[in-house]
Amino acid sequence: MDLKLSARELAWQRRARDFAETWLFPHEVELEHEGRLPSSLLRRQRSAVVKAGLNGVNHAVEHGGQGCTLLEQTLINEQLGKATGALWAVVWHPADPLKHGTKAQIRDYLIPSCQGRRRGSFAITESGAGSDPRMVKTRADLKRGKYRLSGEKWFVTSGDCSDYLIVHAHVDGDPDKPTLFLVDKNLPGVRIKRVPKFMHTYVYEHPEFVFDRVELDAGKVLGGVGQGFELTKDWFVEARLQIAANCVGAAARAAEVANDYAAGRVQFDRPIRDFQAVEFMIADMAVEIMAAKSMVYRVAAEIDAGLDRKLVHARASAVKLYASEMAGRVVDKALQILGGRGYMRENPVERLYRDVRVDRIWEGTSEIQRAVIGGQIKKRGLAIYTGWM
Ligand SMILES: Cc1cc2nc3c(=O)[nH]c(=O)nc-3n(C[C@H](O)[C@H](O)[C@H](O)COP(=O)(O)OP(=O)(O)OC[C@H]3O[C@@H](n4cnc5c(N)ncnc54)[C@H](O)[C@@H]3O)c2cc1C
């Protein structure tokens, strides 16, 4: 078993680390204090992403992306995930389902998104539809060859800076026809209803959108009528691995800050790391990060190597569940080691504490991941997790 990273993988890791150090970390405190970054800076960051070749890492070269493997993406996302304020979102990932688009959709949406000329957001969740997207009320009624889209979507991440949305709706209100639509934000009938504030400071916003009889032609259906869940399910694998990698990065940064602090902070005439209570916390943090990292790298590499599709979903849920819960535990310990300083917003650990909480909620809550894992065990046996295959 060769566990060494290749020269190419190490180069991607380095590139992402350099980008985070140059373009993300220096702006964290400003973002935290001001609540947003100036638009001129966001534009410069976008150009820097392209210059660094980190645009569209999750898409094929012929679609304007970088053609990175999942393991390479994991290494990149881990480095970016160290940034607070979700500044990792500055490096956009065009949604995976776009690759299933028609030639025209790839030309008009995917390629410009990979190149940084367009940006999209994913809109599934509604006030009555969260973990159970079958409850979606947004509908697209087909009349004389045109769809009319009506409904409301919640928590549309980066919806403020996107110029189009991928909207999950039921054709003719039929839950058996869950379908994705490409909706340009400047169309009549599309508007932002509210921009709520959240626990984390996020570099963009998560607005709520209203669609009031938005007229769409058939060319805006992505991947076919009734294909909504299939396309989203595939995308969840990538998104869950991305979250897991971000979480490993966030936990590693918190642990580094706490470890350095514990070495320098003197109380009762000795560095606090010499108290076993503190040393044990550092030990637990290190082991947890090691375990999560091993899992995320392993699953990414297995998927790259052609893992059976059924196992891909099963494993992606396990990775997301473990890494997100691990990050919560590790960042909490790091904050404890920092004492009162860990509670200050100017400290990255305080920000990470708030940042990683959502990782147990979005892209499927921890309970939903456990339900997926439990269901997979019932169907395929415990060995798909506990064995080595
Ligand atoms: C900051 C943020 C950004 C987001 N960005 C996006 C986005 O860009 N696009 C988008 O579409 N959505 C987005 N979401 C929505 C997110 O995916 C949902 O919040 C998530 O899927 C959970 O749905 P819910 O909040 O409605 O909770 P609910 O589904 O109402 O769940 C509430 C509680 O019940 C539990 N529960 C529900 N069903 C079960 C079950 N079967 N078994 C056990 N427990 C269960 C849940 O685990 C949870 O603890 C975002 C959310 C947040 C907070």
Side-chain angles (χ1 to χ4, degrees), residues 347-364:
N347 193 304
V349 174
E350 188 278 340
R351 301 194 296 274
L352 289 169
Y353 183 82
R354 283 177 288 123
D355 288 350
V356 300
R357 186 62 184 84
V358 75
D359 293 314
R360 286 148 62 186
I361 297 173
W362 58 11
E363 307 307 343

Side-chain angles (χ1 to χ4, degrees), residues 240-310:
R240 286 173 183 171
L241 279 172
Q242 182 194 335
I243 289 172
N246 283 166
C247 284
V248 171
R253 183 168 180 204
E256 281 157 21
V257 172
N259 186 41
D260 288 349
Y261 186 74
R265 175 69 172 170
V266 174
Q267 292 290 280
F268 302 99
D269 303 323
R270 36 163 138 157
I272 57 167
R273 73 166 321 116
D274 289 350
F275 298 113
Q276 202 176 53
V278 173
E279 189 180 45
F280 278 18
M281 281 198 271
I282 296 171
D284 284 343
M285 287 154 74
V287 172
E288 287 240 57
I289 294 166
M290 184 181 170
K293 188 184 275 217
S294 309
M295 242 176 125
V296 187
Y297 286 17
R298 169 194 161 179
V299 172
E302 280 177 338
I303 299 174
D304 286 332
L307 182 69
D308 182 345
R309 196 164 170 266
K310 288 179 255 140

Side-chain angles (χ1 to χ4, degrees), residues 122-127 129-132 154-157 198 200 206 358 361-368 371:
F122 221 83
I124 306 177
T125 306
E126 302 180 0
S127 70
S131 301
D132 183 3
W154 277 37
F155 304 123
V156 183
T157 293
F198 290 81
H200 60 192
H206 311 284
V358 75
I361 297 173
W362 58 11
E363 307 307 343
T365 63
S366 283
E367 292 70 38
I368 293 301

Side-chain angles (χ1 to χ4, degrees), residues 165-225:
L165 310 173
I166 301 177
V167 178
H168 179 115
H170 292 161
V171 166
D172 297 329
D174 181 351
D176 289 333
K177 292 182 187 164
T179 303
L180 301 182
F181 288 89
L182 290 159
V183 182
D184 291 341
K185 253 172 68 181
N186 61 6
L187 285 176
V190 180
R191 69 181 168 85
I192 288 181
K193 183 178 175 188
R194 213 163 66 95
V195 185
K197 288 290 162 211
F198 290 81
M199 181 173 173
H200 60 192
T201 300
Y202 191 87
V203 59
Y204 306 114
E205 307 279 2
H206 311 284
E208 291 170 15
F209 277 88
V210 173
F211 307 95
D212 184 10
R213 289 163 294 163
V214 180
E215 201 172 280
L216 301 167
D217 61 42
K220 299 297 178 187
V221 171
L222 180 60
V225 171

